[in-house]
Amino acid sequence: MSSTASPRLRRTARLLGAASAGLGVAMLRDPVGVARTAGVDDSDTVLSVLPLVGARELAHALPLLAGRPGWAWTRVAGDVMDLAVMGAALADRRGERYRRLRTATIAVAGLAAVDLGTALRSRRARRTGPAADLPLTGPLTSPIEVSASTTVNKPPAEVYGYWRDFSRLPTFMAHVRQVATLEGGRRSHWVAEAPGRRTVEWDAEVVEDEPGRLISWRSTAGADVPNTGSVEFTPAPGDRGTEVRVRLAYAQPGGRLGKAVAKLFGEAPDQQVRDDLTRFKQVLETGQVVRSEGTPEGPFAKRLLTQRPAAPHA
Amino acid sequence: MRATQWMGKYRVEVNEVPDPQILNDRDAIVQVSSTAICGSDLHLFDGFIPTMRRGDILGHEFMGEVVEVGRGVGNLRVGDRVVVPFPIACGNCSACRRGFFSVCENSNPNAGIAEKFMGHSPCGIFGYSHMMGGIPGGQAEYVRVPFADVGPLKVDSDHTDEQLLFLTDVFPTGYLGAEHCEIRPGDVIAVWGMGAVGQFAVASAKMLGAERIIAIDRFDYRLAKAREAGATDVLDYEEVDVTEALKEMTAGRGPDGCIDAVGMEAHHPTTAVHAYDRAKQATMSETERPHALREAITSVANGGTVSIIGVYGGLMDKFPIGSLMNRSITVRTGQTPVQKYIRPLYERIRNGDIDPSFVVSHTMPLTKAPKAYRMFRDKKDGANKIVLKP
Ligand SMILES: NC(=O)c1ccc[n+]([C@@H]2O[C@H](COP(=O)([O-])OP(=O)(O)OC[C@H]3O[C@@H](n4cnc5c(N)ncnc54)[C@H](O)[C@@H]3O)[C@@H](O)[C@H]2O)c1
Ligand SMILES: [Zn+2]
Ligand SMILES: [Zn+2]
């Protein structure tokens, strides 16, 4: 849905993710079997450490499966560790065990090369993200760009109509607290939550407005976080409703560093926009954001990591 | 209220928890009169489904009485007796509009997690992990039912709970398995796994006119139930080579439809295959034990259908794609869109075509849930289908 990485890179990342998942599960389930295959089943230490290594594999599996090549770095770190340990182990193995361990080491070295390549290319991909042809207020230095899309089972006029009344945006944009519209909707004042319980505010103006097709906007001078966005509505083929495509660009305090820090706190901006659109679809199709005991706010990036138990809360 | 909570692998407890509350306008609260344990719950109990959390309330097969309705529920009233489908569906999205209720696009608030595992997300399901919504289940005194204006079937006949409860899941699921096979006159249908799901697949294949129905399991008491449901033949897979036996029984053709009602925790008979799979499992990336599924694929007749209604969770190794492709086999599968089948199957019960209560082997108080889970998992004391009474 959104990323600066190329499709091929994302595919490689997914493949590595699948490998991690498989290996992780095998190590957790049957450490003895894995140790035997690798020729190190004679060591008690290996047997106790393998499930931990398995857990490590599972930890990088998820983001990689989601097509995030950047996470290959954590695999590279793991590979270095494994190769070091295996190299040491090779020195005192003989016979059949030696042959098995050698095969396993060669396999790990091969995978390590793929990991390293993927991780390196992910860095390059990040540095050369596509420049938005969005209506910028001025040069946003190293803007964060995110995009997402969804299909809503309603006609374009209705979907456009809901979005065009900006004061309704907070019902589905989790981090936008309030939007006040001025001048018949051409201008608006936004208040949004920022990481660390702060709020940021800005004025925005509508740049393009084609009823039923497109809305784009940009912040005006003096914004806390200069930003720009567009949403496009196109009829989905064969009466499938409306395809909604959102693109946002904003300068975040600290630029890329800010993005990395935000990510650590589960504030990954692309997941946020995706969640916003999920809620938008829910509101239009079912009348409301859908909540559960595990996810009381409705679809929400942070809740993907810290679920509440699926039981009523006092 | 009292509720059955998942407390970790192999651990369920019945504990006191707060009563559920309406969270969305289209919710209702149901006081549960009967609830059952499903083979799907065993996958959670045994720790095979990821994203469970300590304290999650289990249970997706339940019925009872409406005690509260949200503002957006126009068709139900306090006091109505309802049977609730296990998948949660909004009725508005294009999947629901096409009858694919179990892949509703709006009912899983954690679609983001499921997308990471599976590419796209299925619907929300009661008591079935956080990847499926983090929605408390119905093995409890009360349960919150989302989109209560779409799913629940209001019943007014004087059937017992035991006759209606299985409309929530296992009867429609067995029916779906049989329907997938598009049974024509003369068709032979083989069903792997004689739990309640397989037994209803047998009963449904009979209703849909199969010539011969072959039931496969290793527990005699379950194979006996299968005969009761309408199986013409039974096979104990520990005694015979199933693929060979099926070939023999169909004079070399193989069954026209093969239904996998076993799923990810298939048991391996002690043969060379067992050793083969053990070795593979130790080294390969595999989360499933797909023994029954592989056998169903290699057994089915050329041009036949394999219906997968047993649940799978992740990745499988050594999938016999060559057999599938070269022999023009159709695979059909899915979590059951119960909303689509619940009314016509209720009619079948009213007509007297079937009395689903034949699957019940035990009725126990809800407080005995931990014991019931163990009995059901170990197939002890003739445990076939256990109903819990809150
Ligand atoms: N598709 C759906 O919507 C849906 C709904 C409900 C249940 N299910 C699934 O259906 C499956 C069965 O559920 P159930 O409640 O009947 O469970 P169950 O545990 O009562 O029955 C499973 C049966 O399979 C048998 N079995 C195991 N290995 C076998 C093999 N190799 N060959 C033949 N039989 C074998 C077992 O002996 C057991 O009798 C589960 O995977 C469950 O998750 C799917
Ligand atoms: Zn079930
Ligand atoms: Zn839906």
Side-chain angles (χ1 to χ4, degrees):
Chain A
M1 275 197 237
S2 86
S3 170
T4 49
S6 77
R8 194 189 300 186
L9 202 54
R10 286 166 69 86
R11 228 175 295 142
T12 313
R14 285 212 183 86
L15 206 71
L16 291 173
S20 269
L23 208 59
V25 169
M27 285 171 171
L28 284 170
R29 278 271 190 78
D30 186 6
V32 183
V34 173
R36 199 180 312 124
T37 311
V40 288
D41 52 328
D42 51 349
S43 155
D44 285 343
T45 330
V46 167
L47 289 181
S48 59
V49 167
L50 265 184
L52 292 177
V53 179
R56 180 196 80 197
E57 289 299 323
L58 285 182
H60 12 207
L62 263 190
L64 280 169
L65 279 172
R68 302 225 175 140
W71 280 78
W73 281 116
T74 69
R75 273 190 57 107
V76 172
D79 294 335
V80 170
M81 206 168 96
D82 294 348
L83 285 170
V85 173
M86 291 170 111
L90 261 180
D92 49 57
R93 292 293 189 294
R94 297 282 172 273
E96 179 58 18
R97 280 221 172 82
Y98 174 81
R99 272 190 294 279
R100 274 192 244 153
L101 182 56
R102 193 184 51 191
T103 313
T105 309
I106 292 169
V108 170
L111 270 178
V114 180
D115 289 337
L116 189 62
T118 307
L120 280 172
R121 273 182 295 150
S122 87
R123 259 213 347 213
R124 249 173 276 144
R126 243 184 234 210
R127 223 174 286 144
T128 57
D133 51 351
L134 286 165
L136 298 177
T137 38
L140 296 183
T141 40
S142 67
I144 292 164
E145 292 151 29
V146 283
S147 60
S149 59
T150 190
T151 303
V152 177
N153 194 17
K154 295 275 180 186
E158 189 179 339
V159 182
Y160 159 88
Y162 192 94
W163 196 296
R164 185 61 187 85
D165 179 356
F166 286 0
S167 67
R168 291 196 284 214
L169 298 184
T171 45
F172 64 90
M173 290 186 172
H175 294 265
V176 177
R177 205 173 278 173
Q178 199 195 354
V179 182
T181 53
L182 317 155
E183 292 174 23
R186 292 224 65 82
R187 285 177 154 277
S188 47
H189 181 75
W190 297 57
V191 182
E193 284 160 23
R197 293 199 191 170
R198 288 175 44 240
T199 59
V200 288
E201 306 199 14
W202 67 88
D203 285 327
E205 60 187 5
V206 169
V207 181
E208 293 160 288
D209 184 7
E210 299 174 30
R213 276 208 5 86
L214 173 81
I215 311 168
S216 69
W217 62 93
R218 69 180 162 210
S219 58
T220 55
D224 284 348
V225 180
N227 67 85
T228 165
S230 73
V231 54
E232 212 180 322
F233 309 92
T234 44
D239 223 14
R240 284 170 172 77
T242 304
E243 294 180 355
V244 181
R245 291 193 171 77
V246 174
R247 302 178 56 192
L248 302 173
Y250 54 97
Q252 189 164 292
R256 277 205 187 74
L257 183 66
K259 183 176 177 178
V261 172
K263 249 188 188 161
L264 270 183
F265 292 100
E267 301 266 348
D270 45 0
Q271 184 66 46
Q272 272 179 35
V273 183
R274 227 171 310 173
D275 289 345
D276 285 349
L277 280 187
T278 303
R279 284 186 295 265
F280 179 65
K281 176 179 163 74
Q282 288 174 342
V283 168
L284 274 148
E285 291 185 353
T286 79
Q288 232 180 351
V289 169
V290 179
R291 298 159 209 283
S292 75
E293 283 76 355
T295 301
E297 308 86 351
F300 189 50
K302 242 196 241 172
R303 274 283 172 240
L304 298 184
L305 304 171
T306 54
Q307 287 279 301
R308 290 224 195 165
H313 312 298
Chain B
M1 65 161 181
R2 274 201 292 257
T4 307
Q5 293 182 293
W6 186 90
M7 303 304 281
K9 198 169 160 178
Y10 307 138
R11 266 186 69 203
V12 300
E13 286 174 14
V14 176
N15 292 320
E16 197 64 36
V17 301
D19 287 348
Q21 286 169 358
I22 302 263
L23 292 184
N24 308 293
D25 290 348
R26 293 166 66 185
D27 291 347
I29 307 288
V30 168
Q31 178 171 17
V32 178
S33 56
S34 296
T35 172
I37 306 176
C38 178
S40 300
D41 293 325
L42 293 181
H43 303 322
L44 305 173
F45 187 65
D46 295 340
F48 282 95
I49 305 280
T51 72
M52 287 296 287
R53 267 197 68 120
R54 216 177 123 87
D56 288 351
I57 300 179
L58 296 169
H60 58 269
E61 301 182 2
F62 58 89
M63 61 182 292
E65 187 183 312
V66 175
V67 292
E68 195 182 342
V69 291
R71 277 182 299 166
V73 184
N75 58 327
L76 294 180
R77 293 224 174 121
V78 171
D80 284 348
R81 187 181 182 213
V82 289
V83 181
V84 182
F86 80 85
I88 301 169
C90 76
N92 308 109
C93 69
S94 56
C96 285
R97 287 281 157 86
R98 289 185 300 143
F100 287 99
F101 295 97
S102 60
V103 287
C104 171
E105 297 160 14
N106 290 314
S107 63
N108 180 1
N110 289 331
I113 304 180
E115 281 164 8
K116 295 198 165 70
F117 279 93
M118 296 187 259
H120 297 269
S121 172
C123 69
I125 296 181
F126 290 101
Y128 215 73
S129 84
H130 287 263
M131 169 164 93
M132 304 292 190
I135 300 155
Q139 287 165 10
E141 287 179 275
Y142 297 92
V143 58
R144 180 180 67 87
V145 177
F147 298 114
D149 53 331
V150 177
L153 168 77
K154 196 174 136 180
V155 290
D156 43 22
S157 55
D158 50 12
H159 291 98
T160 62
D161 276 15
E162 284 70 13
Q163 290 173 302
L164 300 177
L165 178 59
F166 307 115
L167 284 169
T168 58
D169 179 352
V170 285
F171 178 20
T173 298
Y175 190 87
L176 178 76
E179 197 186 68
H180 278 161
C181 298
E182 295 182 357
I183 296 170
R184 294 171 310 146
D187 273 2
V188 178
I189 304 296
V191 187
W192 276 253
M194 278 305 118
V197 171
Q199 290 161 16
F200 279 115
V202 167
S204 303
K206 187 180 169 196
M207 288 196 288
L208 295 173
E211 176 77 25
R212 201 166 169 189
I213 306 163
I214 305 161
I216 306 158
D217 205 301
R218 76 176 190 284
F219 294 104
D220 284 342
Y221 75 95
R222 290 184 167 226
L223 291 172
K225 283 271 186 206
R227 283 206 190 271
E228 215 182 297
T232 52
D233 306 82
V234 299
L235 291 178
D236 179 340
Y237 65 84
E238 286 191 317
E239 301 290 315
V240 296
D241 177 327
V242 171
T243 306
E244 279 310 311
L246 289 171
K247 243 187 204 167
E248 171 75 35
M249 293 165 97
T250 54
R253 303 189 304 279
D256 304 282
C258 286
I259 302 174
D260 168 3
V262 176
M264 66 200 297
E265 291 186 72
H267 162 264
H268 301 252
T270 343
T271 60
V273 182
H274 176 71
Y276 174 88
D277 257 309
R278 280 275 327 174
K280 293 294 168 188
Q281 217 175 13
T283 51
M284 298 283 170
S285 46
E286 173 165 64
T287 56
E288 322 290 334
R289 303 201 305 247
H291 183 66
L293 177 55
R294 288 199 196 111
E295 210 166 61
I297 292 173
T298 47
S299 299
V300 73
N302 286 354
T305 299
V306 172
S307 165
I308 310 172
I309 51 174
V311 162
Y312 290 87
L315 310 166
M316 128 172 206
D317 172 42
K318 300 291 176 281
F319 184 74
I321 184 68
S323 174
L324 202 71
M325 186 274 154
N326 290 288
R327 304 194 302 111
S328 304
I329 291 159
T330 302
V331 173
R332 300 183 68 183
T333 184
Q335 295 279 3
T336 309
V338 173
Q339 285 82 344
K340 181 175 162 189
Y341 293 95
I342 194 165
R343 282 166 185 86
L345 293 182
Y346 179 42
E347 266 319 297
R348 292 261 192 189
I349 297 173
R350 292 168 75 116
N351 291 344
D353 288 351
I354 185 168
D355 178 352
S357 64
F358 77 92
V359 297
V360 178
S361 59
H362 295 74
T363 302
M364 296 161 77
L366 179 72
T367 46
K368 289 267 159 42
K371 181 177 174 216
Y373 266 86
R374 281 193 304 272
M375 271 174 65
F376 186 52
R377 184 205 41 199
D378 301 336
K379 315 295 181 224
K380 281 273 165 57
D381 300 322
N384 190 62
K385 187 75 175 171
I386 304 180
V387 176
L388 301 170
K389 300 279 183 181

